[in-house]
Amino acid sequence: MFTLVTGIVGRWRAVCVTALQRPNSDAAAIRIVVAMYKLDLPLDVKEVAAIERRRNKEQQRQSRIFNAKFRSIGVDVDALEKQVEERKTMERTEKAREEASDADRERDDKVALMLEQSEQKLCRDLHRAVQNYREQHQKPETRREYDLYDPDALKKERPARVSDDDPRCGAAGLQRFAGEDLGQKKRREMQTDMTKRWLTGQMDERKRREAQQTYADNLHDSKRVELDERAEHLSRMEGECRKAVLMATDHFNQALALEVSERRRRHKEEEEDNNLAEIYNHLSGDLLTENPAAAVSAFGLHRVVPDRWKGMSPEQLRAILDIQKQQCQEKQRLKEEEKQLNTEWERQRTLAARAAMNLEQQEQEFSRETRKRLDGYNQQLSREQRAHQEYLDNVVYTNNPTAHYHSQFNTVSR
């Protein structure tokens, strides 16, 4: 008894575990069955998690497969080929655009390089002119503050207080004191002269700068005029060269035309001379003079030259006529024989046609009898099939499927 109960419990446990492992199983129904039979089967947590994971994967797979908007079976070759062709066309267009862009970029780089070189050259010329002007007109010893950083200042100084009105004796030298400004008038005159010299120097410097700028502007204008004149001269020379080439081409074409016309004239004269000689040869030849001896061949008297033959003799003509009469008689005899042969063939065809009609009638009679037997057999088969269909409708197929029967299909993705 104990063994029987243990076997039943083990069998129900295996059935329940198998049902739980199925994707479309209902765990609640299994638990109800277990409760009905009071089988205390503890559920494994890992097993339940695995079953839940498989159930979630099955639902996700069903959502992917049963969704007609996102499901695609097979490959659209035409669409792929169209996409490949569009991609190739796009690549060719992009390549052509890149090549055009590279050509424009190269041209712009050349123009920019030429402009940069010209600007650098102009900047170098300007710096060279400024440096030359500084070396010639802005020497250190002509500056107002040159006495402050003159390297030979100490060598040029004289001993202190050479005279009372010495301007080098300042307040810090303790050589002169307040109220001892003996050289004020001379100092003011020197200051006035120095101010005048400064103003004069500034005016001269400004005039020199204006003159230098005017000279530079004039030089630039003359350079531009020179370049324009050079371009115009080159254009004029190019036009003259083109005119000279066209004139030389015209002269060459005229000489060639004269040569061709002269060659045609000589050819025409030669052709006319040849035609006159040919006409004279024909008039004086054996063809128009009808010389019989001209038709005799060099290979024997029985052979003639075709292009010089003037006709056959009466004996030859009579021989040809005799041969033609013999040929006519032979042809008449052949016609009679052919007529007799055609008559015999017509009789044979008539006999064959009669035999064919008899065979056709026999074949039609056999086909009629065969059709009658086949119609009877078909009627018998129809009765049998009708009886079988009535048997299926009334006996076999009595339980028609309902909507619940069709709803169990297409529920899983496997």
Side-chain angles (χ1 to χ4, degrees):
M1 186 67 181
F2 178 77
T3 305
L4 178 62
V5 172
T6 306
I8 293 172
V9 170
R11 189 161 52 251
W12 271 103
R13 181 183 178 89
V15 170
C16 294
V17 171
T18 304
L20 288 173
Q21 290 178 354
R22 292 180 182 176
N24 55 352
S25 63
D26 195 352
I30 299 300
R31 293 190 182 93
I32 292 172
V33 172
V34 172
M36 289 174 60
Y37 286 94
K38 297 181 180 180
L39 298 176
D40 190 7
L41 300 177
L43 297 178
D44 192 1
V45 178
K46 294 183 179 179
E47 185 176 356
V48 173
I51 294 171
E52 189 68 23
R53 184 171 60 256
R54 286 196 295 271
R55 184 181 295 111
N56 293 333
K57 287 185 179 180
E58 178 65 21
Q59 291 178 358
Q60 293 176 3
R61 181 179 174 86
Q62 290 180 6
S63 64
R64 290 197 303 270
I65 292 179
F66 295 153
N67 193 352
K69 293 184 179 180
F70 299 98
R71 183 184 59 200
S72 61
I73 300 176
V75 180
D76 191 356
V77 180
D78 297 334
L80 292 179
E81 292 178 354
K82 185 176 181 181
Q83 291 177 2
V84 171
E85 187 65 25
E86 291 177 355
R87 182 62 179 270
K88 290 182 179 179
T89 304
M90 188 184 301
E91 290 178 356
R92 289 194 295 269
T93 306
E94 187 66 23
K95 185 177 180 181
R97 186 185 297 110
E98 290 178 358
E99 292 177 356
S101 178
D102 293 339
D104 294 340
R105 191 182 300 108
E106 185 176 359
R107 185 179 63 255
D108 295 341
D109 291 341
K110 290 182 180 179
V111 173
L113 182 61
M114 294 174 61
L115 293 175
E116 185 178 1
Q117 290 177 355
S118 61
E119 184 178 359
Q120 291 178 358
K121 183 179 179 182
L122 181 61
C123 185
R124 286 196 301 270
D125 296 340
L126 182 61
H127 289 170
R128 191 180 296 108
V130 171
Q131 187 64 25
N132 293 334
Y133 176 79
R134 289 175 179 176
E135 292 177 356
Q136 294 178 4
H137 303 284
Q138 292 183 352
K139 296 180 179 181
E141 54 269 14
T142 59
R143 298 178 185 176
R144 183 178 60 184
E145 297 86 359
Y146 180 72
D147 57 341
L148 298 178
Y149 52 86
D150 185 6
D152 299 332
L154 297 178
K155 296 180 180 179
K156 295 178 181 179
E157 286 184 355
R158 291 183 295 175
R161 195 164 181 85
V162 175
S163 61
D164 294 338
D165 56 354
D166 190 355
R168 294 175 299 173
C169 297
L174 299 176
Q175 299 294 329
R176 291 189 305 170
F177 300 95
E180 294 185 351
D181 191 5
L182 302 177
Q184 182 180 6
K185 184 177 181 181
K186 186 175 181 181
R187 178 173 54 78
R188 289 183 177 179
E189 291 178 357
M190 291 177 62
Q191 290 178 353
T192 304
D193 294 338
M194 184 178 296
T195 304
K196 289 181 179 180
R197 287 197 302 272
W198 288 350
L199 293 175
T200 304
Q202 291 178 0
M203 293 174 65
D204 295 340
E205 182 69 20
R206 184 176 181 181
K207 289 181 180 179
R208 282 196 299 270
R209 286 199 302 270
E210 291 178 355
Q212 186 70 19
Q213 185 65 29
T214 305
Y215 176 74
D217 294 339
N218 294 333
L219 184 62
H220 180 67
D221 294 339
S222 62
K223 187 65 176 179
R224 291 182 57 185
V225 171
E226 181 182 356
L227 292 176
D228 294 339
E229 291 178 353
R230 184 175 181 183
E232 184 179 0
H233 178 65
L234 291 176
S235 178
R236 186 167 54 256
M237 289 179 63
E238 184 179 0
E240 292 177 356
C241 182
R242 191 181 295 108
K243 290 180 181 179
V245 171
L246 292 176
M247 188 179 297
T249 305
D250 293 339
H251 291 167
F252 177 75
N253 292 333
Q254 291 176 2
L256 188 61
L258 291 175
E259 184 179 355
V260 171
S261 61
E262 183 65 22
R263 191 183 301 112
R264 288 178 179 175
R265 186 184 62 78
R266 289 198 301 269
H267 181 68
K268 187 176 181 181
E269 290 180 355
E270 292 177 359
E271 188 176 1
E272 289 177 355
D273 295 339
N274 294 332
N275 292 335
L276 292 175
E278 185 177 1
I279 292 171
Y280 177 75
N281 292 331
H282 281 298
L283 292 175
S284 60
D286 295 334
L287 180 62
L288 297 179
T289 56
E290 297 184 356
N291 185 10
V296 178
S297 176
F299 296 99
L301 298 177
H302 63 285
R303 300 182 67 175
V304 294
V305 181
D307 57 349
R308 300 178 185 178
W309 188 54
K310 300 302 179 182
M312 294 185 294
S313 63
E315 292 79 6
Q316 293 175 346
L317 290 174
R318 282 194 298 271
I320 292 174
L321 290 175
D322 294 338
I323 293 173
Q324 288 178 353
K325 287 179 181 180
Q326 293 177 3
Q327 290 177 352
C328 289
Q329 294 174 359
E330 182 67 22
K331 187 174 182 182
Q332 187 67 26
R333 185 181 63 80
L334 293 175
K335 284 184 178 180
E336 292 293 336
E337 293 179 356
E338 186 178 0
K339 185 177 181 181
Q340 294 177 2
L341 183 61
N342 290 335
T343 304
E344 182 65 24
W345 274 108
E346 188 67 25
R347 189 176 66 82
Q348 293 292 335
R349 280 197 298 271
T350 303
L351 295 176
R354 289 177 182 176
M357 290 177 64
N358 294 329
L359 291 175
E360 186 177 358
Q361 291 177 358
Q362 294 177 3
E363 185 177 357
Q364 290 178 358
E365 186 67 23
F366 179 74
S367 298
R368 194 179 300 111
E369 293 178 359
T370 304
R371 191 177 300 109
K372 288 181 180 179
R373 290 195 300 270
L374 184 61
D375 292 340
Y377 180 71
N378 289 335
Q379 291 176 2
Q380 182 181 358
L381 286 178
S382 177
R383 289 192 296 270
E384 293 178 357
Q385 289 178 359
R386 193 178 298 109
H388 182 68
Q389 185 66 33
E390 291 176 356
Y391 171 76
L392 292 177
D393 294 338
N394 298 325
V395 178
V396 178
Y397 299 141
T398 57
N399 187 13
N400 294 327
T402 61
H404 177 71
Y405 173 76
H406 293 287
S407 63
Q408 65 182 342
F409 296 102
N410 201 20
T411 58
V412 296
S413 62
R414 301 293 179 181

